[in-house]
Amino acid sequence: MRKQTKLVAVLSAAALLALGASMTSFAATGWVEENGTWVYYDNDGYKVTDTWKKSVNNWFWLNSDGEMAVSTIVEDEDNYYYVDENGAMVSNTWVQVENEDADGEDEPAYVWYYFQANGKAYKAGTSGTSFKPINGKKYAFDSEGQMLYGWIDDQSNRVTGDDAWQNGTYYCGDENDGAQRTSWDQIHVIDVTEDEEDQDYWFYFGSNGKKVKAEANDNDRATKTINGQKYVFDSNGKMLSGWVNGMSTTSVIASPDAVAAPYRNFSAETAGNMKKGWFQAVPDEDVNRDAYDDEEAKWYYAKNDGTLYNSTIKTINGKKYAFNEKGEMLSGLVAVQYNAANSEITNYVVIDTEAELNDFASFEASRTDNFAWDVYYFGASSDGSMKLGNQNVEVDGETYGFFFTKTGSKKGQGFGSDNNNNGVDNYIEDGAIYVHGRKAKADSDMKYEAFTADGKKQANGTTDAYLVNTSGSIMKKKKNVKDGNDMYICTDENGKIKYYDELKCGSTGAPSCGYHQ
């Protein structure tokens, strides 16, 4: 019995020792604060490392030393998490952390992450740049979960350097913004091709965030209709404004006198929409260098596709207007060679001097085809519409009377011009001489002057020249009218001069005119 009792006693002692050990192990299992930090012991009494442990509703990370991580990024396999100052995993929130690469060029002091409901940071996928919707905006992240910003390419890479705006596909603001841009945005860039490298350019980003730009087969120009207006962008995505060429494959500007038809005007830098209809602008320097240097604005009319009317006469809103080869609206008195078959102006001269007004032979010498010169009047520079009927036209400071045909195939042409290609066309009509619309008139101090049938002024007394008064009327069947030189003049029934002398015809000692007998 004693032996048996001793055995029981021994067993009891062993049980007590085992229980004590078990109690010690239980006391060290779970969370324990040691040296100012928390650790976690497993059931075997060992510190847990490189793993997550949950407490109530929060997850905590035990690092490689077994200590609970606080206020840091946690990399677990291929995912990134963040634990706050209490060590709890965060979710559904932005977190800004210090950038370990801040010493690198173009690197910010801090970077942003966004942690989802499961605590994982958004990061780049494997098939190009993707954007994540967060609070109504979209953001992109790199392969380590850092929010991308600025210019971004198609492979979730941030594009840096002065040429980033040229090479980037998306734009996401600065390091404290990051939201994907859609629609219009004016962005500050460095453009080394400009005299002042710092520039603020307008870009347009589609609903997918990609900037609109011209591709290689677009001839370096891409047009896009936005809210009913057309805009143009170059191969870097910059919105172009003002005069833009390169809109077609025929748009090479060979000289300052080149045709401007391929040019389109896209308003000012702050608007940029393509002009349609009437607009006024200073010409491009490659098209009209003098007007460009003088900042002299011209009037243009752009069709719906933005191209300009040029080298033509067109009816616009019930009125006719002429445009030169540069697309500029013509005004004033203009001598024109016009091919009505295709509505093309083949040559023109704006009549600015009396010499041009009097000498159509100079125009004829410059003829390039078989079309005659006709004269039109397109009003003042602020008007430009074709004028009809009687008009007072100022040339080189002098005012001249004109008449322009009101109806028919010659509508708008200076009366007296026909299309017989001789370059000097005139009619005597309604008791007056017209040369390309200009009415021959005597100077006021002369009272009467002689003109040939082609409107050229002659010395008074020239036989068979027509006698014309200061209002332009041909003086028919006149006897002894006196001009400014105190000479007496007689004319026949057509108004041709038959007598010119200082003595009255028929007076004693005066020669006979042979007409008034």
Side-chain angles (χ1 to χ4, degrees), residues 442-450 457-460 467-470 482-487 489 500:
D443 291 340
S444 58
D445 58 345
M446 289 299 296
K447 298 181 182 178
Y448 304 98
E449 288 191 272
K457 189 179 292 188
Q458 303 295 309
N460 273 7
L467 187 67
V468 177
N469 67 8
T470 55
K482 201 173 186 180
D483 68 7
N485 293 326
D486 291 329
M487 301 294 285
I489 309 170
Y500 188 80

Side-chain angles (χ1 to χ4, degrees), residues 19-60:
L19 179 63
S22 174
M23 292 178 63
T24 302
S25 174
F26 178 79
T29 299
W31 291 103
V32 177
E33 186 176 10
E34 293 182 354
N35 301 321
T37 188
W38 287 91
V39 297
Y40 190 94
Y41 286 94
D42 62 17
N43 291 334
D44 296 324
Y46 295 103
K47 286 183 180 180
V48 172
T49 61
D50 296 320
T51 192
W52 293 100
K53 284 296 178 181
K54 191 174 184 180
S55 177
V56 190
N57 294 321
N58 293 312
W59 287 93
F60 300 84

